[in-house]
């Protein structure tokens, strides 16, 4: 295809996709965790792996941490290491779903002791944010119930509101609370933050620096995710994405693997809603569980998929589309919408990368670098965990 318009490339050059530290550790399902050669032994080695993704794509400049998985004694030193590697520390993700105290809930629990422990954990995360320079505290809760009558549903919401208010009050002036939702799992009857509406209601009550995180795998089958995207953007409450792909449940697969058209549709709404504009505050992050594929190449593939979908969304002829929409010309509108999706932007993006001093084919270049072979030889006994581990 012809070169992409300069305006498209200028916007693409500003796209930053945050990587999750946990994607570089061993992961699996509730049946089996599959170890891989070169698994990081420390969070420092996770950062080194993440830096490889950025070095080959030029679009992944930050790394999210998960606490306590990524706990260290000196966060200032970890921050300095990240910067030396060419990346920075990003979102701090809390974890209240593995300790015994949280068996029946954390921030929503009927047990005051469990709620207190969960709040204190988040206050600790905020202290870590001060040391790492992180803007966002992301909260995903496994809280919920498996059976009708097991808990008082309203009281759990009241507990959540009270807990979140204390956490929010402790944020620094430049920090944000980002609340993630998920419609089921591990709770099966009722999940305490099951949908965007519940998350929105809570963050709206908290204040301007409380936002919603949309995980693309956290919806019922057939959900129109792009409509949720445009609604949250319109309300000014879309804080971040956790990009992954799914076939059936929360599969956490490579972005766009199951439905690249959905990824394009989502990015169309992100562009339309100003989500890529300077100062929008919308953070793009990957959230994946590489069970059987190599970790670093899997992250590279996802970054490239997001960039390709974004390029297509930026190519959409919005003036022509709006004219067709205003005329209620259904077929013309759909054809215009699909033309951008079917455009093969890969050759133009490869040329663009070369112009920026990056490899035209990041996946191939990384494979030829010898990095995987080196860490397989150097890292014996790595056990850093990812999702499902």
């Amino acid at each position: 295809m012809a070169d992409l318009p300069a305006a498209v490339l200028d916007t693409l050059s500003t796209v930053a996709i945050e990587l999750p530290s946990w994607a570089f550790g061993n992961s699996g399902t509730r049946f089996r965790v599959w170890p891989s050669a070169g698994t990081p032994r420390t969070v420092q080695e996770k950062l080194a792996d993440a830096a490889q993704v950025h070095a080959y794509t030029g679009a992944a400049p930050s790394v999210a941490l998960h606490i306590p998985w990524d706990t260290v004694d000196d966060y200032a030193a970890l921050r300095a290491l990240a910067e030396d590697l060419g990346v920075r520390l990003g979102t701090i993700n809390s974890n209240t779903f593995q300790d015994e105290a949280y068996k029946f809930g954390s921030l929503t629990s009927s047990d005051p002791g469990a709620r207190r422990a969960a709040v204190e954990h988040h206050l600790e995360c905020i202290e870590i944010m001060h040391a790492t320079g992180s803007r966002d505290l992301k909260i995903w809760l496994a809280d919920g119930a498996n059976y009708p009558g097991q808990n008082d549903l309203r009281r759990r919401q009241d507990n959540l509101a009270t807990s979140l208010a204390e956490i929010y009050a402790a944020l620094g002036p430049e920090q944000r609370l980002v609340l993630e939702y998920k419609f089921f799992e591990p709770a099966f009857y009722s999940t305490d933050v099951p949908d965007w509406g519940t998350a929105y209601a809570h963050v709206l009550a908290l204040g301007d620096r409380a936002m919603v995180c949309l995980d693309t795998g956290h919806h019922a089958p057939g959900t129109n995710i792009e409509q949720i995207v445009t609604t949250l953007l319109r309300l000014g409450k879309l804080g971040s994405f956790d990009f992954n792909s799914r076939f059936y449940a929360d599969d956490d697969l490579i972005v766009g693997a199951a439905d690249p058209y959905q990824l394009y549709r989502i990015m169309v709404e992100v562009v339309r809603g100003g989500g890529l504009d300077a100062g929008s505050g919308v953070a793009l992050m990957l959230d994946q569980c590489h069970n059987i594929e190599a970790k670093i190449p899997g992250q590279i593939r996802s970054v490239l998929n997001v960039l390709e979908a974004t390029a297509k969304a930026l190519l959409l002829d919005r003036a022509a589309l709006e004219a067709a929409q205003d005329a209620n010309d259904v077929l013309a509108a759909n054809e215009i919408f699909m033309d951008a999706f079917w455009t093969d932007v890969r050759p133009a993006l490869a040329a663009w990368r070369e112009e920026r001093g990056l490899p035209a084919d990041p996946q191939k270049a990384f494979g030829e670098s010898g990095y995987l072979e080196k860490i397989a030889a150097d890292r014996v006994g790595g056990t850093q965990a990812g999702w499902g581990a």
Side-chain angles (χ1 to χ4, degrees):
M1 64 162 286
D3 292 341
L4 293 172
V8 171
L9 296 178
D10 287 345
T11 300
L12 281 178
S13 68
T14 68
V15 173
I17 302 166
E18 189 161 282
L19 304 178
S21 69
W22 53 94
F24 299 96
N26 284 332
S27 58
T29 68
R30 59 194 175 96
F31 300 107
R32 171 74 166 139
V33 173
W34 304 103
S36 58
T39 297
R41 296 163 294 185
T42 64
V43 63
Q44 290 84 355
E45 290 181 348
K46 290 180 180 178
L47 294 179
D49 290 355
Q52 291 289 307
V53 179
H54 184 50
Y56 284 91
T57 66
S62 61
V63 186
L65 300 182
H66 215 295
I67 306 300
W69 296 345
D70 296 322
T71 298
V72 295
D73 293 330
D74 189 338
Y75 289 98
L78 190 68
R79 178 179 182 177
L81 173 64
E83 292 169 356
D84 287 344
L85 291 168
V87 293
R88 66 179 182 273
L89 300 180
T91 303
I92 299 299
N93 293 259
S94 62
N95 180 323
T96 58
F97 49 85
Q98 290 187 310
D99 289 355
E100 185 68 23
Y102 305 134
K103 182 176 182 179
F104 297 107
S106 60
L107 295 179
T108 71
S109 176
S110 59
D111 178 0
R115 291 201 307 276
R116 187 71 246 156
V119 169
E120 290 295 335
H121 170 66
H122 286 89
L123 298 181
E124 176 191 2
C125 287
I126 293 172
E127 290 302 313
I128 293 170
M129 292 167 68
H130 294 325
T132 58
S134 301
R135 180 188 65 173
D136 290 349
L137 170 64
K138 186 188 295 177
I139 301 175
W140 173 75
L141 300 172
D143 295 20
N146 284 347
Y147 301 98
Q150 177 183 331
N151 291 124
D152 185 317
L153 300 181
R154 177 164 177 167
R155 190 185 346 160
R156 292 181 75 91
Q157 291 298 315
D158 290 341
N159 290 342
L160 177 57
T162 301
S163 300
L164 288 176
E166 182 176 351
I167 296 165
Y168 183 78
L171 291 172
E174 304 300 321
Q175 295 172 338
R176 308 190 308 177
L177 183 155
V178 185
L179 182 61
E180 186 173 351
Y181 61 90
K182 184 177 183 181
F183 82 109
F184 88 105
E185 191 189 43
F188 296 110
Y189 166 63
S190 66
T191 302
D192 290 326
V193 190
D195 50 44
W196 74 268
T198 304
Y200 174 73
H202 280 287
V203 301
L204 185 65
L206 292 173
D208 292 342
R209 289 178 293 112
M211 312 293 284
V212 176
C213 172
L214 186 154
D215 185 307
T216 53
H218 285 188
H219 304 85
T223 299
N224 188 329
I225 297 175
E226 57 269 28
Q227 188 167 7
I228 300 172
V229 171
T230 200
T231 299
L232 288 172
L233 280 169
R234 179 176 174 273
L235 295 169
K237 281 297 185 180
L238 181 60
S240 64
F241 281 94
D242 277 5
F243 277 122
N244 51 66
S245 194
R246 53 162 289 176
F247 287 99
Y248 299 107
D250 186 21
D251 303 340
D252 278 346
L253 298 175
I254 287 172
V255 181
D259 191 349
Y261 183 44
Q262 181 189 68
L263 180 60
Y264 162 74
R265 299 194 308 266
I266 289 171
M267 294 313 301
V268 165
E269 297 306 325
V270 171
V271 173
R272 168 68 175 84
L276 297 184
D277 294 351
S280 77
V282 177
L284 309 180
M285 198 189 91
L286 305 184
D287 183 13
Q288 295 175 207
C289 184
H290 298 288
N291 295 341
I292 56 175
E293 68 270 28
K295 320 300 183 185
I296 300 172
Q299 293 285 283
I300 290 175
R301 182 67 264 162
S302 280
V303 170
L304 297 181
N305 287 352
V306 173
L307 289 174
E308 290 167 13
T310 304
K312 294 178 179 184
L314 291 166
L315 283 176
L316 179 60
D317 188 339
R318 292 189 174 274
L321 180 62
E322 184 175 340
Q325 291 169 339
D326 288 345
N328 289 318
D329 191 335
V330 176
L331 292 178
N334 181 253
E335 182 177 352
I336 293 164
F337 196 84
M338 294 301 296
D339 278 346
F341 173 68
W342 289 118
T343 302
D344 186 359
V345 298
R346 293 173 299 173
L349 290 180
W352 172 65
R353 280 191 288 270
E354 285 190 309
E355 291 172 1
R356 302 172 70 207
L358 296 165
D361 185 342
Q363 199 78 281
K364 179 181 178 183
F366 173 74
E368 294 174 347
S369 71
Y371 185 85
L372 285 181
E373 292 79 8
K374 181 179 184 303
I375 62 174
D378 292 346
R379 300 176 184 172
V380 178
T383 57
Q384 284 286 304
W387 284 118

